[in-house]
Amino acid sequence: MTYPRSDTIKKILILNASKRRKGNSYALEDYIAEKLKGKAEIVQFNIGEKDVKVCLACDGCKRQHTPNCVQKDDYTALIPEMDKCDAMIILSPVHWDQFPAQLKAVLDRTYSFMDFTQPDFSMASRKDKKLAGFFFAGFGPVDVYTQMVETNLKSFSTAGFREYKAHVAGDCNVPGSVMQKEAELKAADAIIDWIL
């Protein structure tokens, strides 16, 4: 879903990596989209429902000198959205102490932004974008998960995301439970303020 943009507001991409339609990622996506309405152009991309193949490591993207991928799947439509946005918010569960498989595939496919002829190895049209990650953990060490998220978010720098913030909400295994957690909603509000 895309909301209209004016020249004075930012374009924000919300990337949802959950497969649970009634889960916490979707509940928070609705919350964030509502908070951003009228303040930003919002593009919502739910990779949990999309066909995102793994990177082939074929280097076909290196012959094109523009962010692109020779594979034609739903990631192909995501490339220009990632390249032209002002900021991206990733909403995702933690799976086995890591990114879910489709989000990891998206991260790997940002290789399509890499250009070894550039001093910073990036062919992204903008290199000043913000990236926020809001992740949900049912159980386990939130501090360890936060470190994992921060490490992985840094890898999106190839696509021009040079500033990042990460938050992991613990004890959020029950679908939709984030909406009853005041501290987590405050963390989401802080991310929205930082993105804007």
Side-chain angles (χ1 to χ4, degrees), residues 2-106:
T2 303
Y3 296 99
R5 178 184 190 185
S6 78
D7 292 335
T8 59
I9 60 178
K10 295 181 176 183
K11 179 175 183 175
I12 298 175
L13 173 62
I14 301 175
L15 193 63
N16 187 329
S18 178
K19 291 231 178 234
R20 285 186 180 177
R21 197 68 171 105
K22 296 187 185 216
N24 287 304
S25 296
Y26 279 93
L28 197 62
E29 179 182 357
D30 291 342
Y31 177 84
I32 290 172
E34 186 62 34
K35 290 270 187 169
L36 289 172
K37 198 181 289 185
K39 299 176 184 171
E41 175 188 353
I42 307 159
V43 177
Q44 293 168 269
F45 199 91
N46 300 313
I47 61 171
E49 300 175 356
K50 303 287 187 181
D51 176 28
V52 179
K53 295 178 174 58
V54 298
C55 180
L56 298 175
C58 66
D59 279 346
C61 55
K62 302 300 158 266
R63 295 184 287 276
Q64 299 181 40
H65 303 290
T66 183
N68 204 346
C69 182
V70 296
Q71 293 191 79
K72 300 306 173 206
D73 62 0
D74 291 324
Y75 175 75
T76 309
L78 185 57
I79 293 171
E81 299 295 348
M82 288 178 72
D83 195 38
K84 300 298 183 191
C85 71
D86 294 291
M88 181 167 68
I89 301 172
I90 297 173
L91 304 171
S92 176
V94 173
H95 284 180
W96 291 108
D97 302 339
Q98 237 338 308
F99 275 11
Q102 279 190 282
L103 181 54
K104 180 62 167 74
V106 167

Side-chain angles (χ1 to χ4, degrees), residues 139-156:
F139 311 100
V142 169
D143 59 331
V144 172
Y145 294 156
T146 302
Q147 185 177 10
M148 173 275 294
V149 170
E150 288 174 346
T151 298
N152 282 304
L153 291 182
K154 288 178 188 176
S155 298
F156 280 94

Side-chain angles (χ1 to χ4, degrees), residues 82-83 85-86 126-130 159-163:
M82 288 178 72
D83 195 38
C85 71
D86 294 291
R126 295 196 42 210
K127 299 172 185 178
D128 61 345
K129 299 178 287 187
K130 292 181 175 182
F161 298 97
R162 301 297 164 90
E163 294 182 65

